[in-house]
Each structure stands twice: as structure tokens, then as C-alpha cells.
Amino acid sequence: MLAKLSAFALVGIDAVPVEVEVDVTAGLPKTILVGLPELAVRESVHRIERALTNLGYVWPTARVVVNLAPADLRKDAGAFDLPIALGILMATGQVKPERLKDMVFLGELALDGSVRPIKGVLSMAMTARSRGLTRLVVPRGNSHEAAVVQELEVFGVETLSEAVGLLVGDSALEPITVNSDELAQKLNTYDVDFSDVRGQEFAKRAMVVAAAGGHNLLMIGSPGSGKTMLARRLPTILPPLTPEESLETTRIYSALGQLKPGESFLAVRPFRAPHHTISDAGMVGGGTVPTPGEISLAHHGVLFLDELPEFNRRSLEVLRQPLEEGRVTISRALHSVTFPARFVLVAAMNPCPCGYLGDAKRTCKCSPPLIERYLGRISGPLLDRIDMHVEVPAVPFEELSGRSEGTSSGVMREQVLRARRRQWERFGGSGTQVNGRMTSRQIRKHCQLDAKGSALLKAAMEELGLSARAHDRILRMARTIADLEDCSEIRFEHLSEAIGYRTLDRKLWRR
């Protein structure tokens, strides 16, 4: 007898429909899996056999053929355990389905018949809805994650027996519901605030500009000056995630199984701070079966690279394309996958190996060639893609010991939101959302300078030896600064401030 059920396979972060076909016929007892099953799927036969037996069902003493279609798609997950087990019960006549239409079954089985959580349920739920499927049966641990997708009936099961009950129509289980708006308001809180940072008002101003326009930022300062402290608070002044952004980011974490227990979706912007020993595959993603890397986990959030020169050169160079395009494509012999990677890059570094070059109270012991080699670890093309270079000096004792708090995240976020609203009105439905992503055509349209501003920019280009890319980035920053001041045109002081954020360019460092 032949049984068919619907399931999904995960390719990167996307879900691909898979039809599970189970055929039980007379013959020598043997179970055959076809359809490019990887090791995790081939081993499912042993899990399913013990789960069925331990729950009192009968394992067929016949020839069982399980086909996972399409046949040219590799399947590498335990999510097929539940549909294969149900297919065997249907094909052997032990279960007669009453509610099979428009249903999808997903889950990994334990030997006692319990259903374990799987990866990528959110993407699977989104694909199920787009294909007109209305009922999704998933492990209880994934049910709230899947229920975020509207127009779906999501059932969370703890055991195979509960799934059978849903299949035959005699289950008392109710669909899981999630109030996304209420949950987002509850979860959209941060444990840190810019008011914790004493002093560093210039660096805070740079943070506001970076957040308002989506500009990449490099902080240079001696150890203990507060670079990491500042970077960790940048998400607190970014606009709240929109529902679409939240789903895009959550499905990446779901595909990697990095959602916390009971967490339906991400309500705050991610902050990723990989160690400098990370490989290039860990940074952008990769593997035999490509999976997202740190830059995708930072999608719609902040990627913080502390001790920037200590990173492997290759790990840094692979950032160049994602910084420009907002995505990364990983190609393999059989297929390629594209992961989203639109983030704000924040990097921090010391001015020299010992960290005290230019410090007012400590003497630098590094020789000029040593400093040259240290700074040379960051390539010019990568540095060119970082909009802002900001010095973060040591904080004086008077500011550290003062009783007054610094500018709070709430005040800074209001400034950012006002500037962002001007940008949303300016760009409309063009696909560009922030000044930091303006195209060349948009720069020419929205960043026009008067004669005084043009002369200033020309002098800066000649004096600093800036590239054409740096020229555009200065104009983008000036546009953002003007938006923060609620000005429709770019004034001389806006352009001057933007140029000031480029004075630590590579040519000046070498001097």
C-alpha cells in the first residue's frame, strides 16, 4: 500500500517542499530510503523502528521503500522522522487518516516516541503558507516559532501518538496562537544604555550619525577607553525591528537552531561580536552544506569586530562584497545559496600594538616599522568601505567620577528616528532605506553642494588622498548629519563634520 505526506527540507535558510512516499509490499523484510538521503536521514530507520515498537505499533515484516521527492535534492535532517513514521503506519493500515489534506508533518523522533525540536521551522511555516498549506504539525518546542506565521493552524505535538491523533481526527489539541505585537513590545528591551558611558560625547555623536544613516564605523583608541562599551550600546538607539525585518532575521537563527527555548522571534536587533580567531567560513558562512555565518546572524543588526588588526586577513577581505551588496552568495558544485547580510559594521582597534600611541599619559614603545606592519593588516579597500573613523581617547578621572549621567539611549534614539523618518520620506519605495545605502544616482540627486561646500570637499580630497568611494561616503554622511539637524540642504558645517570623520584615513596614519 502506498502513502504520501508533505514535509520540507532546509536548503541554506530556505525551505523546499518534499513529498514523503512510503510503499509497503510483500517481500523480504527490508527498508530502503531513496531520494538522496544523507546520513542523518538514513539513520532515521532505526529511530522510527524503535519508536513505533515502543509505542505498541507493529513494524512491517515486508519490503518498505521510502522515497523523498524531489530525487535530486539532498536531504540532511531528522525532520523527516515523523512523516516517515506516519507514512509507514498508513501504508500498513494501522492508521486511517481523516485530516491529511493540506497538512504538513515535521519532527525528529526519540526512541520512546517523543518528538524533538528541529531547525528551520519558521522558514518551513512561511513556505507552507505561500503554497496554500493550512495545517502544520511540528514538535511542541517549535510550535510558538511556527505560530508567528499568520493564516496557519499550527499544532505542537510531544509524541508520535499525538500526531497520530491529529491524523485520524480524534485529537483534542488546539492550534497554537501567538500575539506577535504584544510579544514584541515585551521583548523589545535592552539591558544596557548609553547613559552608562561617562564622557565620550564625541564618540556618542558619531554613534548617532552611524545609527541614523546606517554608516559603518571604526573606533581607534587606547585600551580601556570604552570602545567595546560604546559598540554594545549601538543597537539600543537603532529603530525597532519591523515585522518583516524580524521574520527575515529570525529565520536565520531558526535555520541554525539558535533560537532560545520558548523564543518565537527576535524582537531586538542582533549584536554579534565574533572572536578574532574566526575563519572566513565562520564569518560569511560555508561548509559542505552551506550554513549562514556571523555576518548573516548580524542581519538588520550590528557586527562588532574588536581588535580589528588581529583578525585573519582573509576573514576581513571576505567582508568587502557583503558590505556593498547586503548579501553573500556561497557556491558549491551542485548548487549555490544566498544569505542576507545587511548590517552595520562597527570595528575597534588600538592605534599601535602596545595601544598607547598618542596617549597623553603613557609612552608608546612601538617602533615606526612595527606600527606600519600593525596598521597594514587592514587593507585599503576594506578601510575604504568603513564610512567613519573616530578617535576614542581615554576618559579623564573627573568625568569617570562625576555624578551626572551621560546622554541616554532614549534621547539618542529619538534623534535617530527623526532622521530615519526623513530618509523614508525621501526614498519612498525605491528600495533604499538609509543614506548609507544611497546609489550614485541618488547621491547626485540628494547630496548637492553649493560653491563653498564643493571647494571644501575638493580640498579634503586632495589633502587626504581619498578615493572616489570615500568621496561618496562623505556625501552620504553629510546628508545624514543634515537630516539630524532637520535641514533639507547640506550646509558647510554638515560637510565639515562629515570630513572630520575621515581624518584617520590610511594616508594620515602612515605620517
Side-chain angles (χ1 to χ4, degrees), residues 175-404:
I176 303 295
T177 58
V178 172
N179 189 328
S180 301
D181 295 335
E182 181 180 329
L183 190 59
Q185 292 179 358
K186 180 180 178 181
L187 296 177
N188 189 19
T189 58
Y190 295 90
D191 297 328
V192 296
D193 194 281
F194 268 106
S195 61
D196 304 329
V197 182
R198 302 297 177 90
Q200 301 296 11
E201 293 302 318
F202 176 74
K204 287 184 181 180
R205 168 66 176 179
M207 286 283 175
V208 170
V209 175
H215 302 290
N216 302 317
L217 172 68
L218 171 63
M219 294 181 287
I220 304 175
S222 56
S225 58
K227 301 185 295 295
T228 301
M229 195 175 186
L230 287 163
R232 290 191 178 278
R233 283 154 178 77
L234 180 58
T236 67
I237 64 174
L238 291 171
L241 284 170
T242 65
E244 294 77 14
E245 290 174 340
S246 180
L247 283 178
E248 286 180 14
T249 306
T250 303
R251 62 197 290 252
I252 299 171
Y253 282 75
S254 172
L256 292 175
Q258 292 196 19
L259 284 178
K260 298 176 182 177
E263 188 176 37
S264 302
F265 59 92
L266 296 180
V268 297
R269 293 188 180 271
F271 178 86
R272 303 295 299 185
H275 193 261
H276 60 76
T277 56
I278 189 172
S279 66
D280 55 318
M283 185 70 80
V284 300
T288 305
V289 179
T291 56
E294 286 291 335
I295 62 173
S296 295
L297 289 169
H299 186 51
H300 290 313
V302 176
L303 177 68
F304 177 51
L305 303 182
D306 199 5
E307 305 294 344
L308 186 66
E310 302 298 333
F311 279 78
N312 179 281
R313 181 69 173 257
R314 182 174 172 83
S315 298
L316 293 179
E317 293 306 305
V318 293
L319 292 175
R320 287 157 57 175
Q321 179 196 3
L323 284 173
E324 292 290 336
E325 300 182 3
R327 63 182 184 272
V328 58
T329 300
I330 300 174
S331 299
R332 293 293 179 264
L334 297 178
H335 64 277
S336 64
V337 294
T338 299
F339 299 128
R342 192 169 295 283
F343 55 89
V344 175
L345 173 65
V346 179
M349 62 178 290
N350 297 327
C352 65
C354 77
Y356 299 112
L357 178 65
D359 193 279
K361 297 183 178 180
R362 301 189 185 184
T363 303
C364 174
K365 300 179 180 179
C366 304
S367 64
L370 188 62
I371 297 174
E372 182 79 11
R373 286 196 300 270
Y374 179 74
L375 298 178
R377 295 176 186 175
I378 308 173
S379 70
L382 177 63
L383 187 65
D384 226 18
R385 286 168 169 82
I386 300 177
D387 306 46
M388 309 172 68
H389 312 151
V390 178
E391 285 187 289
V392 183
V395 182
F397 172 79
E398 291 75 14
E399 294 184 359
L400 285 175
S401 59
R403 292 176 178 261
S404 61

Side-chain angles (χ1 to χ4, degrees), residues 31 42 63 81 90 118 147 158 254 323 365 410 448 488:
T31 302
R42 294 199 300 269
R63 184 181 180 86
D81 289 10
M90 291 165 54
I118 59 173
E158 292 185 345
S254 172
L323 284 173
K365 300 179 180 179
Q448 296 182 7
S488 57

Side-chain angles (χ1 to χ4, degrees), residues 202 204-215 387-388 390 415-416 418-420 422-423 426 434-436 438 446-447 449 456 473-502:
F202 176 74
K204 287 184 181 180
R205 168 66 176 179
M207 286 283 175
V208 170
V209 175
H215 302 290
D387 306 46
M388 309 172 68
V390 178
Q415 300 174 29
V416 171
R418 286 197 301 269
R420 285 284 182 111
R422 289 184 63 89
Q423 295 169 63
R426 175 184 303 124
V434 292
N435 292 329
M438 277 194 290
H446 301 296
C447 301
L449 303 176
L456 174 63
R473 294 192 181 279
I474 288 175
L475 289 176
R476 291 186 182 109
M477 283 190 287
R479 179 68 269 169
T480 299
I481 295 168
D483 289 340
L484 286 167
E485 302 298 327
D486 202 23
C487 292
S488 57
E489 69 278 353
I490 298 176
R491 298 176 180 171
F492 181 86
E493 58 268 25
H494 303 150
L495 184 62
S496 179
E497 182 180 349
I499 294 172
Y501 293 131
R502 295 291 303 194

Side-chain angles (χ1 to χ4, degrees), residues 94-109:
Q94 299 180 67
V95 169
K96 296 183 179 180
E98 296 289 339
R99 301 181 60 186
L100 186 58
K101 185 179 179 181
D102 296 333
M103 293 189 77
V104 179
F105 295 88
L106 303 164
E108 178 184 327
L109 291 179

Side-chain angles (χ1 to χ4, degrees), residues 26-148:
L28 293 175
K30 188 176 183 180
T31 302
I32 303 172
L33 267 70
V34 295
L36 285 184
E38 296 294 327
L39 182 61
V41 181
R42 294 199 300 269
E43 289 180 342
S44 66
V45 173
H46 307 293
R47 293 193 297 270
I48 295 169
E49 178 185 359
R50 297 319 306 161
L52 292 178
T53 302
N54 289 331
L55 289 176
Y57 296 106
V58 178
W59 182 259
T61 55
R63 184 181 180 86
V64 180
V65 178
V66 179
N67 180 39
L68 305 175
D72 60 345
L73 177 69
R74 293 184 180 274
K75 291 85 178 178
D76 184 19
F80 300 106
D81 289 10
L82 184 58
I84 292 175
L86 293 174
I88 290 175
L89 293 177
M90 291 165 54
T92 55
Q94 299 180 67
V95 169
K96 296 183 179 180
E98 296 289 339
R99 301 181 60 186
L100 186 58
K101 185 179 179 181
D102 296 333
M103 293 189 77
V104 179
F105 295 88
L106 303 164
E108 178 184 327
L109 291 179
L111 299 185
D112 62 355
S114 59
V115 183
R116 291 173 172 162
I118 59 173
K119 300 177 181 179
V121 166
L122 180 58
S123 290
M124 296 175 184
M126 294 170 67
T127 303
R129 181 182 63 180
S130 67
R131 298 184 67 85
L133 301 170
T134 58
R135 297 171 184 160
L136 194 65
V137 180
V138 298
R140 180 66 58 86
N142 297 121
S143 57
H144 286 82
E145 173 189 343
V148 172

